[in-house]
Amino acid sequence: MIKKIDVTDLKPKMFIHDINCPWLDHPFLRNRFLVESEIDIERIAEYGIRQVYIDTERGPDMPEAPSAEEVHRQLDNRMQRLGQNLRREPPPVSVEQERVQARHLCREANRIVHNVLQDCRLGKQVELELVEPVVSGIADSIFRNPDAIVSLLRIKQADKYTFQHSVAVGTLLIGFCRALGIDRKTIELVGLGGLMHDIGKMQVPNAILNKPGKLTEAEFEIMKQHVRYGSLVLQKSPGISPIALSVAAEHHECYDGSGYPLGLKGDRISLYGQMASVVDVYDALTSTRIYHTGREPTEVLRKLLEWSGHHFNVTLVHQFIRCIGIYPVGTLVRLESGYLAVVVEQHHENLLHPKVRAVFNSQSRVFMPPRDFDLSKPGCHDRITSFEVPSRWGIDPGRYI
């Protein structure tokens, strides 16, 4: 049986089933391994990991610990409560109307950020005036309909991950700020910080940055330096705001003080740094990379909720889930009817009842002509029962949005 325990209860000879770490770039070669000694436990604690999952069939048990199923059920109940009874203004335009402009903005943002990061690698100064119009355009799209551009962010190429991730983080931060009612000028400054948050990685050797596998402990320590490098580069950029700088400088700080580079704790981390840490982990875990298959958005949101209180500010995680939706646009879901459907638009009052496009009959295991359902309508009696992994069914959700 898989159970969840505190690291303080971990003992040698226990078998870790899941290291339960928010960061992909950690120094453990595997997520599953036998705890050999107290030294292993000390290393786990040193990296800010508070709780792990153990396999009681491969090592000692802890009888009173909750099972993974119990933990997941509790988290799902919390997610469901977060998704109810929202009161948001419906967007001015539909997803379909905004999507063409959103695609153009994504392409342009990827091109500009790629060029700026490459210039930085060559030792050139960051030209913020090239990035600012991109930030403004993304903000315009978010204000018209946030679902359109956010639904495109998971599409990344392995060899272009760093700058595509930067665009995604900047865009998600703009949407997050807008959902919190932050003023437009500040939103653009936060978005600029998001687009530039990983610029320090241009000072990390390519052999480490693009390594097709886990980093060694020494490599991980070098990778962590990207935050300091980025802060130094941006500090030398004329016109950089303290708000944008805080995003880049603090996106790896943790609410419990276990992050880096400064180990800041609680409200010593700026609001925008706290928001960036949530968004950075969300996009990293939902993205497919050379050595990591992206998880489904709903699963990652559940993990963010699990990690809140330690790694993240609980209130901000709740607000981010409400911002992006329990079933974000592009998520494959199973309906009570047995249809598999792609979420195509959020409902502004209840995240549990989005608009979906049914594409597959799971009972007869055949594709069907796409059929739209607005689960919020009184006449619609279908509902979402779970999210699904698209690769299991051979479905590409992007084709249907």
Side-chain angles (χ1 to χ4, degrees):
M1 178 181 290
I2 309 302
K3 290 186 173 183
K4 183 180 179 180
I5 68 169
D6 289 341
V7 169
T8 53
D9 293 321
L10 200 55
K11 300 289 188 295
K13 305 307 177 186
M14 283 183 168
F15 189 90
I16 292 181
H17 175 79
D18 182 357
I19 197 72
N20 203 30
C21 178
W23 321 113
L24 286 177
D25 297 321
H26 58 67
F28 304 100
L29 294 179
R30 298 175 301 278
N31 283 323
R32 299 180 182 182
F33 56 91
L34 181 70
V35 178
E36 299 283 0
S37 66
E38 293 289 346
I39 295 174
D40 288 342
I41 299 171
E42 290 171 7
R43 286 183 69 237
I44 291 169
E46 282 173 6
Y47 282 95
I49 298 168
R50 297 297 193 94
Q51 297 166 322
V52 297
Y53 288 89
I54 60 170
D55 186 338
T56 62
E57 294 183 2
R58 303 181 68 176
D61 190 5
M62 186 175 174
E64 64 272 27
S67 68
E69 288 77 10
E70 290 173 307
V71 173
H72 292 169
R73 188 160 53 247
Q74 292 168 2
L75 291 170
D76 283 342
N77 288 339
R78 289 173 65 186
M79 291 265 285
Q80 296 288 312
R81 290 194 295 272
L82 285 173
Q84 296 173 339
N85 303 318
L86 296 179
R87 288 294 180 271
R88 297 187 301 196
E89 290 296 319
V93 303
S94 70
V95 171
E96 286 78 8
Q97 289 174 301
E98 182 59 26
R99 187 156 283 129
V100 172
Q101 180 69 4
R103 284 197 182 97
H104 169 75
L105 284 166
C106 272
R107 285 194 296 268
E108 184 66 5
N110 284 328
R111 185 183 68 82
I112 294 292
V113 172
H114 173 263
N115 290 343
V116 169
L117 265 58
Q118 288 301 110
D119 284 349
C120 178
R121 184 177 287 283
L122 296 173
K124 298 180 181 179
Q125 192 174 63
V126 176
E127 297 183 67
L128 296 179
E129 60 270 21
L130 296 178
V131 185
E132 288 165 349
V134 173
V135 174
S136 182
I138 292 172
D140 287 342
S141 181
I142 290 284
F143 273 78
R144 289 191 294 266
N145 192 312
D147 286 342
I149 194 164
V150 169
S151 67
L152 304 174
L153 298 178
R154 289 187 71 196
I155 305 170
K156 297 184 180 73
Q157 295 166 269
D159 60 337
K160 300 178 181 178
Y161 173 79
T162 297
F163 68 86
Q164 291 180 337
H165 168 66
S166 297
V167 170
V169 167
T171 302
L172 289 167
L173 275 173
I174 289 170
F176 197 0
C177 286
R178 186 232 182 194
L180 295 183
I182 293 170
D183 67 276
R184 174 66 185 253
K185 181 179 179 181
T186 302
I187 286 176
E188 294 197 12
L189 294 175
V190 175
L192 178 66
L195 263 66
M196 295 290 101
H197 82 287
D198 267 348
I199 196 166
K201 286 186 176 178
M202 297 301 98
Q203 306 299 315
V204 174
N206 267 327
I208 294 176
L209 186 62
N210 299 318
K211 184 178 178 179
K214 288 288 186 182
L215 302 179
T216 65
E217 194 157 352
E219 290 168 339
F220 181 61
E221 290 303 315
I222 294 171
M223 178 66 85
K224 286 166 63 176
Q225 294 303 312
H226 81 271
V227 181
R228 293 188 189 277
Y229 297 151
S231 296
L232 291 172
V233 168
L234 291 176
Q235 285 168 7
K236 297 175 183 176
S237 303
I240 190 70
S241 77
I243 289 175
L245 192 58
S246 69
V247 171
E250 299 172 356
H251 71 279
H252 277 299
E253 300 290 351
C254 292
Y255 201 65
D256 62 1
S258 64
Y260 62 87
L262 299 177
L264 301 178
K265 186 175 183 179
D267 290 338
R268 289 189 63 202
I269 311 168
S270 71
L271 169 64
Y272 309 114
Q274 292 181 44
M275 293 169 67
S277 71
V278 173
V279 169
D280 181 60
V281 170
Y282 172 79
D283 187 70
L285 292 183
T286 54
S287 300
T288 294
R289 296 165 68 174
I290 296 172
Y291 62 91
H292 167 78
T293 301
R295 299 186 189 183
E296 290 308 300
T298 302
E299 179 188 3
V300 174
L301 291 173
R302 185 168 63 191
K303 295 300 290 185
L304 291 179
L305 195 58
E306 180 179 357
W307 292 322
S308 63
H310 297 313
H311 297 288
F312 309 115
N313 180 318
V314 176
T315 301
L316 286 179
V317 169
H318 289 183
Q319 291 168 327
F320 181 67
I321 291 172
R322 290 193 176 107
C323 164
I324 201 165
I326 292 172
Y327 305 105
V329 172
T331 303
L332 184 68
V333 295
R334 179 186 291 271
L335 303 182
E336 200 169 50
S337 60
Y339 293 147
L340 300 188
V342 177
V343 176
V344 294
E345 193 165 358
Q346 299 288 342
H347 190 267
H348 62 279
E349 292 185 350
N350 194 319
L351 298 178
L352 305 178
H353 304 297
K355 183 182 291 185
V356 301
R357 185 159 294 149
V359 299
F360 190 85
N361 188 322
S362 66
Q363 295 167 343
S364 58
R365 302 183 74 86
V366 296
F367 283 89
M368 53 186 282
R371 181 180 173 191
D372 287 359
F373 294 90
D374 187 340
L375 301 182
S376 67
K377 297 291 185 184
C380 183
H381 302 295
D382 220 338
R383 67 183 185 90
I384 295 173
T385 60
S386 64
F387 70 90
E388 292 285 336
V389 178
S391 59
R392 178 188 168 197
W393 300 95
I395 297 172
D396 175 10
R399 289 183 55 198
Y400 301 98
I401 58 172

